[in-house]
Amino acid sequence: MGVALRVLDDGAWVSVNDERRVSVSELWRVAGAGDGRVCACDCADFVVEGFTDVGADGRTVTADVYGQCIRCGETASVAGLPVGRVVDGTFRPLAADAVRSPRGGSAGRATLAGSR
């Protein structure tokens, strides 16, 4: 079974199977290591201002985003941040307190909502 992924409303939403599931203006914690580094902070408090692309890395749904770290004020574009997973054809968003790592990073750090 395929899952349709799209960016909607000029980058304001990630759509999964034609349903708006992830929106801008969320505050995400983003790990500060590797090539996808947002800023010099160890863990950026990153306000998502827009989505530029969405895709999948296996069952993990990822998004390319741009925004700003509210700790230091640095703006950045980051590719491949996880936003959730598809399990048995159903989208499960990441928990609000998950620490996200760009494209692969420390995948074990991302926690699915309700899976604690």
Side-chain angles (χ1 to χ4, degrees):
M1 169 198 250
V3 176
L5 301 171
R6 295 187 303 158
V7 174
L8 296 176
D9 301 332
D10 295 325
W13 288 91
V14 169
S15 167
V16 180
N17 287 335
D18 297 322
E19 185 178 329
R20 288 173 173 83
R21 297 304 306 259
V22 183
S23 71
V24 296
S25 300
E26 292 184 6
L27 180 65
W28 293 354
R29 298 179 68 215
V30 180
D35 294 335
R37 190 174 190 105
V38 170
C39 59
C41 298
D42 288 336
C43 186
D45 288 332
F46 190 68
V47 175
V48 178
E49 296 174 351
F51 299 103
T52 57
D53 200 10
V54 64
D57 182 3
R59 294 187 311 172
T60 302
V61 177
T62 62
D64 296 352
V65 301
Y66 60 89
Q68 181 176 27
C69 176
I70 62 171
R71 285 185 176 193
C72 68
E74 184 75 26
T75 60
S77 293
V78 185
L81 284 176
V83 297
R85 295 192 71 168
V86 175
V87 178
D88 296 327
T90 302
F91 178 76
R92 295 188 185 169
L94 290 181
D97 63 347
V99 177
R100 300 161 196 257
S101 296
R103 290 199 202 229
S106 294
R109 288 185 172 166
T111 308
L112 293 175
S115 68
R116 295 174 194 226

